[in-house]
Structure formats: C-alpha cells, structure tokens
Amino acid sequence: MYARTATASLAAAALLGAGALLLIPHSQATDSGTDTAAGARTDTSTEKVIRTVVNTRAIPTPGAPVVLAHRGASAYAPENTLAAVDRANHLGFDWVENDVQRTKDGVLVVIHDTDLKRTTNVEKVFPKRAPWAVKDFTAAEIARLDAGSWFAARYAGTRIPTLAQYLDRIERNDQNLLLELKSPQTYPGIEKETLRVLRQKGWLNPGHVRYRLVIQSFSAGSIKKVHQQRPDVTTGFLGTPAVADLKAYAAFTDQINPSYASISSRYVAAAHALKGAHGRKLRVNTWTVDDAATARKVDGFHVDGIITNTPEMVRRATD
C-alpha cells in the first residue's frame, strides 16, 4: 500500500462521511476475522472494508500488487533496523518485512544473517568470538554493536533492535508486519516465543491479526507449528513447492511466497486456484524484486505482492 497525497486521502474519507476513515483492500481484512493476507489484490469495490486510521495513507491502484519493504526500506537505510522501518514509513509503505532470531540469553532480535559479521562491527568489538553467530551472543552484547556504519557513515551507532523494540516502532508508524522466522531449526521453540512477544505487544489482538500481521518461514514445519498454536494468524511459506504439492501446503498456510525467478503465470494461477488454511484463495508474494523490468514481469503473472529492497521503484513500475 502506498501514499499518494493528503488531499486525495482526505477526499476519500469525506466520501465516507467520516473524516478519519479510509478504505483498505479486502486483503487486509476478513469477515471471519482470521484470514488476512498481506499480498492480496483489490479486485472490486465490494472487496473493501473501512478502517480507522490516524494518517493519510492512500488507496492503492485497484489490481496493483501490494509492495512490501524488504527488511524495511533496505536500499535506503541499514536493513532490519528502526531506521529502515522509518524510511519505509516516510516513503508511504505500510508493509515491512523483517527477520527474527534469538540471542544466547533468549531475547528475540531482528536481524537477517545468522552471524553478525556482514552488518555490524562485531569482529572489532569481539575479535576472539568467531564465527560470531547471533545465537552465541547475549542481548546486551549485541546491543553494543554498530549496525549502521557498514551501510553509510550517517547511520553510525544504529543498533540491532529487539523484536519488542521493532514492534513498538511499527506500531507507532501504523505499519504492518511480514515476519520471517529465520532458521528455526537453530532456535527450537522460537515459534512459541515469537507468539509470546507478539501477544505481549498487542499484536495478537483481533485488529492486528485481521489487518496487520503475517508470519512466514522457509520451514514448513515451523509454519505448521505457528498454525497449530495460533490458527487465527495468517501464515506464509517461503519457497516454491511443486504445483502437485500446493494443496498439502494450503492446509496450514495462507500464502506461497516464492523467489521471482522460480515462478510463472501458470504457477501463480495454480496457487490462486486453491483455498488456504482460512478458506480463501492462496496468495502469492514474490521476492526479492529490485528492478522495474522484473517488477512488471511478475505483475503480469498477477502476483498479489512484491517484496523489494527498492519499494519506490516497484511502486512506479506497477502503478
């Protein structure tokens, strides 16, 4: 979802007769309250609901794929940091994707790589701690690391956020979350722990579950655990199962989220022909699309969402 102008948004609200109400796509709501897909399309005027908002976010072009900011707006700010979330917010993007892992002392933190080398100064701060795996450091140790200088000098001193801090920020920004459970085989029980933090921060209440949260993973077993523990939560499988296997996946997930290089219009149509765990069409969000030609190509496949490091470019290409 993306912003146009405050005037356009307020005009839409005025048409509803309530100054702070805007329309959002049906993809972010459901009459059952349990089937919300980040990557759903807006096909007709009937597939809309009213949502109370405190900003002037706008209605996307009907039929356009939802644009999801990968690790925040990670082409413009250090990935998986609060700065990247804020940058996505400034650009007008509601949906952000991030990764969650667990520290040595059991704190959930937002970072993609399973080691700290690429995006922090860990080798300088802790030179004798190779291979610098996230799981081998405490939350206090990770909090000492600079997670911004590698990207640009102006981000020096940026920290790796905890999941709790991350949730607070996207709540403040009124953004939505596509949350990846990263390498769950490394972190037994991370599904339950992630759900606990989400619950503590209010992200498992009906409003968030309906409109604002999707949990995904490359591990089918991990997604099954989430679905078993919180069957109301929308889930996504990261990968490209064979068409013959899609029906089995649809029993426990709502989205199939594949790499753009692995799909075709026929594959997307096969997914859309099935109903997911909440009885609605399987959605397809594809990643990671960072050029206009690819954005237009997958839009032609009728994907529901595009996950990208460069959300502005994808927005222009598919608008």
Side-chain angles (χ1 to χ4, degrees), residues 167-200:
L167 292 171
D168 284 344
R169 183 58 61 90
I170 59 178
E171 179 70 23
R172 188 190 77 176
N173 291 347
D174 194 33
Q175 290 170 296
N176 311 316
L177 178 60
L178 176 59
L179 175 64
E180 180 183 345
L181 302 177
K182 188 71 179 181
S183 300
Q185 67 278 5
T186 304
Y187 308 107
I190 195 171
E191 298 85 7
K192 184 176 182 180
E193 294 170 3
T194 299
L195 289 168
R196 182 176 67 245
V197 174
L198 288 166
R199 183 178 65 252
Q200 290 170 346

Side-chain angles (χ1 to χ4, degrees), residues 23-202:
L23 294 177
I24 64 165
H26 179 70
S27 65
Q28 290 191 0
T30 173
D31 49 7
S32 68
T34 58
D35 180 31
T36 305
R41 290 179 176 275
T42 304
D43 295 320
T44 69
S45 60
T46 61
E47 287 191 330
K48 295 178 180 179
V49 295
I50 296 173
R51 176 181 175 191
T52 302
V53 295
V54 294
N55 57 22
T56 54
R57 298 193 186 279
I59 306 166
T61 301
V66 174
V67 179
L68 302 98
H70 186 233
R71 307 177 197 172
S74 55
Y76 319 122
E79 64 184 57
N80 275 324
T81 65
L82 302 185
V85 172
D86 288 343
R87 184 63 176 162
N89 184 55
H90 176 75
L91 293 170
F93 293 93
D94 290 350
W95 280 97
V96 293
E97 183 268 356
N98 79 290
D99 309 271
V100 63
Q101 298 186 58
R102 188 172 65 210
T103 66
K104 184 178 181 179
D105 53 342
V107 177
L108 298 183
V109 291
V110 175
I111 184 171
H112 175 268
D113 296 6
T114 54
D115 66 69
L116 297 154
K117 293 184 293 183
R118 181 176 62 87
T119 59
T120 79
N121 62 341
V122 67
E123 293 178 85
K124 180 179 179 179
V125 178
F126 298 104
K128 298 181 180 180
R129 299 279 294 276
W132 299 286
V134 173
K135 66 181 180 63
D136 294 333
F137 287 79
T138 67
E141 289 171 335
I142 287 177
R144 292 174 53 189
L145 303 177
D146 180 344
S149 291
W150 71 275
F151 186 87
R154 69 180 179 275
Y155 291 110
T158 299
R159 304 303 177 192
I160 293 173
T162 66
L163 178 59
Q165 291 168 337
Y166 197 94
L167 292 171
D168 284 344
R169 183 58 61 90
I170 59 178
E171 179 70 23
R172 188 190 77 176
N173 291 347
D174 194 33
Q175 290 170 296
N176 311 316
L177 178 60
L178 176 59
L179 175 64
E180 180 183 345
L181 302 177
K182 188 71 179 181
S183 300
Q185 67 278 5
T186 304
Y187 308 107
I190 195 171
E191 298 85 7
K192 184 176 182 180
E193 294 170 3
T194 299
L195 289 168
R196 182 176 67 245
V197 174
L198 288 166
R199 183 178 65 252
Q200 290 170 346
K201 287 296 179 178

